[in-house]
């Protein structure tokens, strides 16, 4: 179990995280590695993320064609949750980044459960290994109990879903960058970041278009 040190630095660390999220997309994405996301009793340490830009140059982004009712929160301000439903059965969660008015968000792809393991297991009883509880964006949300209710929520406050800085700084040499998983556009951009060798990181699968017959 990982616990944040109670040394009076928590507010300063939270302010530093808020500042990071309002900055450029890729440093913000990398900076989310090691952060802790809590919902109720369960906390996960983020081990894998993917960055998505707005309308300029990122056809894989939900905001590529502009603002809609679905993606409106992506346009800022930073630090809020962008939750969406996919494949008619799964919730996935992003952290909004950048300056207000320019869409950008970071998908939380995977994490390791560091608090509330019994509750996490109860939510996903079919999972045999603890490292698989939050291995993948939909699994992460299921483990934390995150759904549409978190859409637009401010994550750096004291609400029901809370994003906190890492307990320890993540060394640069432990971070790997590579192509995003399963996207149809701009699939070779190295905008996925993960902790090298961490067993909770999801397997890479490049999107293969279906051949119409």
């Amino acid at each position: 179990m990982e616990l944040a040190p109670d040394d009076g630095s928590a507010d300063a660390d939270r302010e530093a995280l808020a500042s990071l999220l309002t900055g450029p997309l890729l440093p913000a994405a990398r900076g989310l590695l090691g952060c802790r996301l809590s919902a109720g009793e369960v906390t996960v340490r983020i081990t894998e993320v993917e960055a998505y830009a707005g309308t300029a140059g990122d056809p894989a982004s939900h905001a590529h064609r502009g603002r809609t009712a679905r993606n409106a929160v992506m346009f800022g301000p930073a630090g809020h949750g962008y939750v969406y439903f996919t494949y008619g059965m799964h919730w996935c969660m992003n952290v909004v980044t950048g300056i207000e008015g320019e869409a950008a968000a970071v998908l939380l792809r995977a994490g390791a459960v560091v608090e509330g393991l019994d509750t996490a297991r109860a939510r996903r009883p079919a999972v045999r290994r603890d490292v698989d509880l939050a291995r993948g964006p939909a699994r992460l949300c299921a483990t934390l109990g995150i759904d549409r209710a978190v859409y637009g929520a401010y994550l750096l406050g004291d609400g029901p879903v809370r994003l906190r800085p890492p307990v320890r700084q993540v060394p640069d040499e432990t971070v790997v960058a590579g192509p995003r998983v399963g996207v149809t556009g701009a699939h070779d951009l190295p905008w996925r970041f993960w902790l090298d060798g961490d067993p909770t990181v999801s397997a890479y699968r490049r999107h293969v278009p279906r051949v119409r017959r």
Side-chain angles (χ1 to χ4, degrees):
M1 177 181 294
E2 295 184 2
L3 295 176
D6 186 15
D7 58 2
S9 64
D11 289 341
D13 289 344
R14 197 183 310 185
E15 290 176 4
L17 178 58
S19 178
L20 177 72
L21 293 178
T22 61
L25 172 62
L26 298 187
R30 185 257 180 255
L32 283 169
L33 292 175
C35 286
R36 294 154 294 139
L37 185 67
S38 301
E41 300 175 3
V42 180
T43 297
V44 302
R45 176 174 53 88
I46 304 302
T47 59
E48 181 185 11
V49 298
E50 280 180 345
Y52 289 88
T55 56
D58 189 3
S61 172
H62 288 179
H64 178 58
R65 291 184 172 86
R67 187 190 298 259
T68 66
R70 182 196 196 199
N71 68 27
V73 72
M74 283 186 69
F75 289 80
H80 291 251
Y82 169 43
V83 179
Y84 65 89
F85 201 51
T86 185
Y87 296 115
M89 58 192 304
H90 299 303
W91 294 101
C92 296
M93 180 174 173
N94 299 253
V95 178
V96 176
T97 67
I99 62 174
E100 191 167 0
E102 296 183 9
V106 178
L107 175 67
L108 304 182
R109 281 209 56 89
V113 178
V114 294
E115 293 181 26
L117 187 57
D118 289 343
T119 300
R121 288 169 176 162
R123 286 176 175 162
R124 306 199 63 229
V127 176
R128 295 182 178 180
R129 304 189 309 161
D130 290 343
V131 296
D132 292 327
L133 285 167
R135 187 172 182 250
R139 294 174 178 178
L140 184 147
C141 283
T143 295
L144 288 164
I146 288 175
D147 58 18
R148 171 73 185 184
V150 183
Y151 182 95
Y154 186 57
L155 305 175
L156 303 185
D158 295 318
V161 179
R162 303 168 302 284
L163 181 68
R164 295 293 183 262
V167 173
R168 305 174 194 84
Q169 287 297 320
V170 174
D172 289 338
E173 60 269 21
T174 67
V175 177
V176 183
R180 296 176 295 191
V181 176
V183 297
T184 58
H187 45 258
D188 290 327
L189 285 177
W191 284 10
R192 180 168 63 101
F193 301 88
W194 66 93
L195 299 180
D196 191 24
D198 194 291
T200 65
V201 173
S202 56
Y204 173 69
R205 294 186 302 278
R206 181 172 179 173
H207 175 76
V208 179
R210 294 182 180 179
V211 178
R212 295 185 178 182
R213 300 181 182 276

